[in-house]
Amino acid sequence: MKQILLTFSFLYIFTYSFAQINYQEVALDKEVRHTFTAWTVGGGVSFFDFNQDGLDDLTLSTNGGRRIAFYINTGTEFELIDPLVNNVETNKQILWVDYDNDGDYDLYVAAYEGINRLYQNIGDLQLIDVTESSGLSLDIHRGYGACWADYDRDGWLDLYYNSRDIPGAPEFKNVSRLFKNNADGSFTETTIEMNAEDAFSAPFSSAFIDYNNDNWPDIYTANDKYKGNTLLENKQGQIYEDVSALTNADLKVNGMCVTSADWNKDGWSDIYITNTFEGNKFLVNTIDSNATPVFEERAAEVGIAFNNTSWGSNFLDADNDGDLDLYVSGAEEFSPESASSIFYENMDNGFFEAPSISGFAKDTAYSFSNAIGDFNNDGSMDIIVQNNPPFRFYLWENYTRNSNNWLKLRLEGVLSNRDAIGCRLDTYAGDLYQSFYTQCGSGFLGQNSATHHIGLGGKAKLDSLIITWPTGHVDRLYDISPNQILSLKEGVSTNGVIDLDQGIIITENNFTPITSTKDIFFDTAVTLSPNPGSDLLTIHSDARLTKVIIYGANGVEVFRQNLAALSTFSLATNTYVSGVYLVKVFDEDQRVGILKWVKL
């Protein structure tokens, strides 16, 4: 078996001890000053640590004509940095994902009446547009949701996204599209051969779930306009089978959002779907007489029907009591004086209640998407919300203070995909059992923190944690102290030996890495001058250069030329637009380096 070097690190955090669920809106206090300039049907929000410093950052969508906003968490507030990509589409789903398994996060952005784009992180958050070179679609469409998972369990994350055609387009039919990751920087569309198209529907969002607990990622899609929601069962990575009717999952509603979690702690994923005034739906996963998972709709019965126009939703344990609460974003246009969004507390008796929370009671914004993170690492989960004008985006800080314990996990796959998407977590603390499933893309256009949060109530420790990785390998850990952030690699409990399920074949990494500025020629000095510059750029190297390529800030190549082993090369740049450029150079030994150049 392959031996793996493991990391097992702990970060202890002070825990407070007050009482009662309490949220306060702190966006302006934390320097998050973000607004939309026009009305839109939702925009992406990501509450994700994209610079990998251990603090959850924010990536926020914009209207067309404005670039995506990137807010770095400084530990005390958020700092708006220069846009990392020159994407001026109307953004929908925004997802950070390590699609190339190199240990840093790449960026995927779905667009409305535009092109969905994939940006590869080549180091130091230098993002290059690789949409075309990777073989992904360049079709202009009305995109909304997107999600990633390893559907064939070969160790590489694959892409599924929703596409609503522009009216009048040829073969107008609305589809969803599946792309297999080839482990070499390219993707192959497998939509038709995998039976994943779900044509003539009206998809808003999809999520990879494991509804039948067989470790193969299934797909559930919320379809708008009473087209009927769709559940596609993964048949061991060979094909998807539509089991919507068979499982009673084919709801005909104005479906907006897919949020899945094990609400009743029975080990099976349940699904919450937002809707209009007819009421949201809650599909509770049950087992029929043939031991087959079948869903029963119980939203009104358990108290979370909402009965208003709602969009994004997320399950979270807001008070760390060991059960999952629910936050729902609403956009009710008829009663703007009343609270539009709602927080449901899980009473752990089979029912939810909507307690009076001072902060949320003042929330009258038109809200669409939301995401969950913990920006101050205090173990209490916070919420970022996208609002439409005239309202700005809200950041709800969790001020709940009690004596309940918690645990947070950062997972890293080794033979499984690096992001550990598709892991099942089973936790036991005394008589408290919980299960979780890791995802990339959830709710309506949201991305939650990659650090997985577990409330423990008054339990003094976690007796056992069982991690089932996408490879099928199982790690078991015992007697874990609470109130810490725990980093775990696949194979942590087996001395690095990773056992694969029968039939699972991990695809070899065939990427040709792009070297970042950290590795520039190692012992060779390369300079750009003047930098910043205007009409002329001169490249000087202690080695002899054989090629130079220049990319614009959006990753589009603007210049390429082979050189006759020159140590100095000059280029007229008077026609280049102002902005940031990446200059990629090659020497005689085919060593590669990338430098940043600013055009005034």
Side-chain angles (χ1 to χ4, degrees):
M1 289 292 183
K2 186 174 181 179
Q3 301 295 314
I4 306 299
L5 179 64
L6 305 174
T7 62
F8 191 70
S9 61
F10 302 87
L11 175 61
Y12 290 90
I13 309 292
F14 180 75
T15 305
Y16 301 88
S17 56
F18 295 100
Q20 193 173 352
I21 296 174
N22 180 14
Y23 276 86
Q24 298 297 322
E25 205 285 301
V26 297
L28 298 183
D29 293 339
K30 300 301 179 182
E31 296 298 326
V32 179
R33 302 174 182 274
H34 193 69
T35 59
F36 273 2
T37 57
W39 187 277
T40 186
V41 182
V45 288
S46 172
F47 211 148
F48 192 93
D49 177 17
F50 58 77
N51 65 348
Q52 298 175 284
D53 65 353
L55 299 170
D56 286 331
D57 308 304
L58 296 173
T59 310
L60 307 179
S61 57
T62 57
N63 296 115
R66 298 172 64 207
R67 290 186 288 182
I68 297 169
F70 299 88
Y71 285 86
I72 287 199
N73 187 344
T74 68
T76 56
E77 60 186 19
F78 289 89
E79 177 186 351
L80 179 62
I81 63 173
D82 291 337
L84 298 174
V85 295
N86 189 31
N87 188 314
V88 293
E89 308 273 17
T90 296
N91 321 127
K92 295 300 179 181
Q93 192 90 51
I94 296 175
L95 297 173
W96 291 94
V97 56
D98 188 3
Y99 84 96
D100 52 5
N101 279 344
D102 67 350
D104 57 29
Y105 292 115
D106 313 295
L107 181 65
Y108 184 78
V109 182
Y112 182 81
E113 296 191 349
I115 299 171
N116 289 7
R117 295 199 177 273
L118 175 64
Y119 299 90
Q120 184 182 16
N121 185 347
I122 60 173
D124 300 324
L125 287 176
Q126 298 178 59
L127 301 176
I128 299 295
D129 187 342
V130 294
T131 312
E132 184 173 9
S133 63
S134 68
L136 293 177
S137 172
L138 296 176
D139 291 348
I140 296 175
H141 72 139
R142 287 180 171 174
Y144 280 96
C147 49
W148 293 76
D150 183 4
Y151 79 79
D152 53 359
R153 297 171 63 190
D154 65 350
W156 297 85
L157 289 173
D158 312 300
L159 169 65
Y160 191 68
Y161 70 79
N162 308 125
S163 179
R164 292 166 69 125
D165 290 332
I166 296 176
E171 299 182 3
F172 175 80
K173 60 180 181 179
N174 291 346
V175 297
S176 294
R177 303 180 70 173
L178 181 66
F179 290 83
K180 172 180 167 54
N181 190 333
N182 297 321
D184 61 0
S186 70
F187 291 82
T188 299
E189 182 164 11
T190 57
T191 306
I192 301 302
E193 66 188 73
M194 288 297 296
N195 191 37
E197 188 177 38
D198 194 20
F200 301 103
S201 57
F204 262 135
S205 58
S206 298
F208 282 102
I209 66 174
D210 185 9
Y211 93 97
N212 57 358
N213 289 345
D214 66 354
N215 216 25
W216 292 95
D218 311 304
I219 303 172
Y220 191 76
T221 299
N223 285 315
D224 190 17
K225 304 185 185 303
Y226 299 91
K227 295 291 185 179
N229 291 354
T230 308
L231 176 60
L232 300 177
E233 181 180 327
N234 189 336
K235 295 296 187 179
Q236 298 188 355
Q238 301 302 308
I239 197 168
Y240 278 97
E241 178 182 336
D242 189 337
V243 295
S244 312
L246 180 67
T247 60
N248 294 333
D250 56 340
L251 298 173
K252 292 179 173 59
V253 295
N254 290 308
M256 320 291 195
C257 143
V258 178
T259 305
S260 64
D262 179 13
W263 150 74
N264 54 2
K265 296 178 282 193
D266 64 353
W268 299 85
S269 291
D270 311 299
I271 307 172
Y272 188 70
I273 304 104
T274 53
N275 188 21
T276 48
F277 64 90
E278 298 94 339
N280 296 350
K281 305 300 180 183
F282 189 35
L283 295 179
V284 177
N285 199 338
T286 63
I287 303 296
D288 68 8
S289 57
N290 297 317
T292 301
V294 174
F295 291 97
E296 296 181 1
E297 201 290 297
R298 297 182 185 172
E301 175 187 335
V302 303
I304 51 177
F306 193 79
N307 295 111
N308 223 328
T309 303
S310 55
W311 294 86
S313 64
N314 262 298
F315 286 100
L316 71 159
D317 189 349
D319 51 358
N320 287 324
D321 65 350
D323 55 40
L324 294 176
D325 311 302
L326 177 66
Y327 178 80
V328 183
S329 290
E332 178 51 63
E333 301 179 32
F334 305 105
S335 303
E337 296 82 13
S338 61
S340 59
S341 299
I342 194 166
F343 176 89
Y344 292 105
E345 182 178 0
N346 188 336
M347 307 310 294
D348 202 25
N349 60 0
F351 300 95
F352 290 84
E353 293 183 4
S356 177
I357 298 175
S358 59
F360 291 141
K362 300 175 183 178
D363 179 10
T364 61
Y366 301 129
S367 302
F368 285 82
S369 55
N370 62 70
I372 310 299
D374 181 8
F375 71 81
N376 51 7
N377 274 342
D378 65 353
S380 297
M381 303 310 290
D382 312 304
I383 309 171
I384 183 69
V385 180
Q386 175 261 314
N387 296 322
N388 267 0
F391 305 96
R392 54 180 172 76
F393 284 40
Y394 287 166
L395 177 61
W396 294 101
E397 181 176 358
N398 190 340
Y399 275 85
T400 305
R401 304 293 182 256
N402 56 37
S403 59
N404 289 336
N405 292 318
W406 51 270
L407 181 70
K408 298 205 311 185
L409 305 177
R410 293 175 180 152
L411 305 177
E412 182 179 336
V414 175
L415 297 184
S416 295
N417 66 86
R418 192 83 170 248
D419 285 356
I421 302 304
C423 282
R424 179 186 172 95
L425 310 176
D426 291 278
T427 68
Y428 299 83
D431 59 355
L432 175 61
Y433 165 76
Q434 299 179 78
S435 72
F436 305 89
Y437 186 73
T438 61
Q439 298 172 299
C440 179
S442 61
F444 178 68
L445 311 183
Q447 181 179 27
N448 297 332
S449 172
T451 304
H452 308 286
H453 172 261
I454 303 166
L456 297 176
K459 306 302 182 184
K461 65 178 180 178
L462 187 65
D463 296 321
S464 63
L465 164 66
I466 300 174
I467 307 172
T468 304
W469 302 82
T471 56
H473 177 76
V474 178
D475 279 308
R476 295 177 173 86
L477 296 95
Y478 303 98
D479 297 327
I480 301 172
S481 299
N483 307 326
Q484 62 170 315
I485 300 174
L486 185 62
S487 295
L488 302 171
K489 274 189 177 181
E490 186 176 17
V492 65
S493 67
T494 57
N495 295 319
V497 176
I498 297 174
D499 294 320
L500 306 182
D501 273 353
Q502 186 175 0
I504 297 300
I505 300 175
I506 301 301
T507 301
E508 181 181 353
N509 185 343
N510 294 309
F511 271 81
T512 300
I514 300 177
T515 308
S516 75
T517 52
K518 290 180 179 178
D519 304 313
I520 184 73
F521 287 166
F522 304 103
D523 59 347
T524 304
V526 179
T527 59
L528 304 178
S529 64
N531 190 12
S534 181
D535 297 333
L536 185 71
L537 168 64
T538 297
I539 306 171
H540 177 77
S541 171
D542 290 351
R544 297 169 70 83
L545 304 179
T546 58
K547 183 164 56 177
V548 59
I549 306 173
I550 301 177
Y551 301 91
N554 59 358
V556 175
E557 183 179 310
V558 298
F559 178 83
R560 174 189 292 260
Q561 184 169 321
N562 292 326
L563 306 177
L566 301 177
S567 59
T568 301
F569 174 74
S570 296
L571 169 69
T573 54
N574 56 302
T575 60
Y576 287 28
V577 299
S578 299
V580 177
Y581 292 81
L582 295 179
V583 180
K584 182 177 181 180
V585 291
F586 300 76
D587 76 350
E588 290 178 306
D589 296 324
Q590 287 302 298
R591 292 178 295 180
V592 181
I594 297 178
L595 299 91
K596 185 179 295 185
W597 179 68
V598 178
K599 167 66 189 298
L600 297 175

